[in-house]
Amino acid sequence: MSTFRALVIDKRHNEIVAETKQLEIDDLPEGELLIQVAYSSVNYKDALACSANGGVVKSYPIVPGIDLAGTVIASENERFQAGDQIVVTGYGLGVSHYGGFSEYARVPAAWALKLPSGLSMKEAMIIGTAGFTAALSVYELQQNGVRPEDGPILVTGATGGVGSVAAAIAAKLGYEVAASTGKADKHEYLRGLGVKRILAREELAVDSQRALDKQLWAGAIDCVGGKTLSSLLPQIQYGGVVAASGLTGGSELSMTVFPFIIRGIRLIGIDSVMAGMEKRSKAWELLAGDYKPPMLDELCEEIGLEQVIGQAGILLKGQSKGRTIVRL
């Protein structure tokens, strides 16, 4: 190929300019792997990267897209050969290093993982960074002793990318899943994922003054943060676990230490950006097997490169549902 298409974001006079441009291979940053990208996906961080005050892009211009699945065209690393199908998520992809919204990408080999058997490249991007985060969250609940027979678990922000996949995985594993959402028109969608009970967002997003509340949940996967997480923690059963990965509801946490020192609960932070390769490999193996949601196609909408900016705006307004993949 002489040229290829990519979505390029630039900042001019404090305004974001987004253009689908023709690039050459020499325009790509350094890396041991040259990849023909098959699919990427639109995540909340991508939406921030496409906005003027998103605060995630290190320097401009940038090709966003914090994850990708594709085929190795050329490799300077012995772990990968031309023809290998790979998945890349996190690290600096799409924020400090040209990312997945491009027909070709070049990345460090240390960021790449061979696509596990049981997943197509399309399925890998329906899962994407959001699903990887969801898998890490469910895994932490399991590893820390939260079992289906212990009682219901709550997923907050359940119609978003992380929440949708987390709810589907947990339901598949036999957990009784409750979901918190602010979208009254998405209840049937959530029930289709296996959710048994739905709470309005307002039931949790309150300024609770209670140090301890009724013990309602054996565990929780929080994708929201802020008041929601503050209200949720006092409701966790003795010895329960909360896996937290989001801040769409705010980054502040206002609560007492009583849930920790009286009920022995654990709050575990989930980082999908710099997670080590051993943890990544385990999560993707599970996503190709026991964790693989049975209704992946129902979780996603497929768009082209030209539609990414519009979808980013929908995400920032909190109006998205499930996952959006970009076919390159």
Side-chain angles (χ1 to χ4, degrees):
M1 67 292 183
S2 55
T3 63
F4 58 90
R5 295 186 313 139
L7 177 64
V8 180
I9 304 295
D10 208 349
K11 198 168 189 178
R12 302 171 191 165
H13 308 296
N14 290 322
E15 291 187 0
I16 290 294
V17 178
E19 299 176 289
T20 301
K21 301 178 69 173
Q22 295 289 325
L23 300 183
E24 299 180 355
I25 292 299
D26 287 345
D27 294 324
L28 295 173
E30 294 183 358
E32 294 94 342
L33 303 180
L34 177 63
I35 304 158
Q36 184 175 13
V37 181
Y39 291 93
S40 184
S41 70
V42 187
N43 298 275
Y44 188 72
K45 186 179 281 188
D46 297 315
L48 291 175
C50 295
S51 65
N53 300 309
V56 298
V57 173
K58 309 303 181 185
S59 63
Y60 296 92
I62 189 73
V63 173
I66 64 169
D67 51 17
L68 64 84
T71 303
V72 175
I73 300 300
S75 171
E76 298 174 6
N77 182 280
E78 60 183 12
R79 291 195 302 119
F80 298 95
Q81 307 294 324
D84 286 343
Q85 293 185 347
I86 64 168
V87 60
V88 184
T89 66
Y91 298 106
L93 194 70
V95 291
S96 61
H97 187 101
Y98 281 18
F101 297 160
S102 174
E103 291 176 335
Y104 286 85
R106 189 156 49 199
V107 302
W111 295 1
L113 186 74
K114 287 184 180 179
L115 192 68
S117 176
L119 280 180
S120 68
M121 289 189 287
K122 179 179 179 178
E123 289 173 330
M125 285 298 97
I126 297 174
I127 292 168
T129 289
F132 174 55
T133 306
L136 293 175
S137 301
V138 174
Y139 185 70
E140 288 293 352
L141 262 60
Q142 287 189 305
Q143 290 297 104
N144 284 277
V146 179
R147 302 163 300 178
E149 59 265 31
D150 293 334
I153 66 169
L154 178 66
V155 178
T156 67
T159 59
V162 177
S164 291
V165 182
I169 293 172
K172 182 185 180 185
L173 295 175
Y175 288 91
E176 180 185 340
V177 180
S180 168
T181 180
K183 301 169 185 173
D185 61 335
K186 299 296 188 291
H187 288 194
E188 287 304 313
Y189 167 74
L190 290 172
R191 291 189 181 98
L193 301 180
V195 170
K196 300 300 183 185
R197 178 185 169 192
I198 300 172
L199 289 73
R201 177 191 297 159
E202 293 74 21
E203 293 184 52
L204 286 172
V206 296
D207 290 313
S208 177
Q209 301 300 317
R210 295 181 180 179
L212 294 172
D213 211 332
K214 292 181 180 179
Q215 299 183 51
L216 300 178
W217 319 110
I221 296 170
D222 177 59
C223 311
V224 177
K227 292 179 181 179
T228 295
L229 180 56
S230 299
S231 299
L232 170 63
L233 289 166
Q235 298 179 359
I236 302 299
Q237 294 176 10
Y238 187 91
V241 177
V242 176
S245 64
L247 47 67
T248 58
S251 58
E252 295 183 359
L253 191 61
S254 177
M255 59 173 297
T256 72
V257 299
F258 288 113
F260 302 103
I261 65 175
I262 292 180
R263 290 184 180 161
I265 74 165
R266 282 155 288 176
L267 175 60
I268 298 176
I270 304 298
D271 167 48
S272 60
V273 177
M274 298 303 296
M277 193 52 69
E278 182 178 351
K279 183 177 287 189
R280 287 175 184 272
S281 297
K282 179 63 177 178
W284 280 102
E285 286 173 10
L286 288 167
L287 285 163
D290 291 345
Y291 281 17
K292 187 176 181 179
M295 69 297 285
L296 270 179
D297 284 339
E298 298 173 26
L299 283 171
C300 87
E301 172 190 5
E302 184 174 318
I303 64 174
L305 203 55
E306 294 77 10
Q307 298 166 276
V308 167
I309 295 300
Q311 182 61 30
I314 291 171
L315 262 171
L316 290 175
K317 292 176 183 176
Q319 297 173 350
S320 65
K321 181 190 80 171
R323 300 278 295 139
T324 301
I325 62 171
V326 184
R327 183 171 184 171
L328 278 307

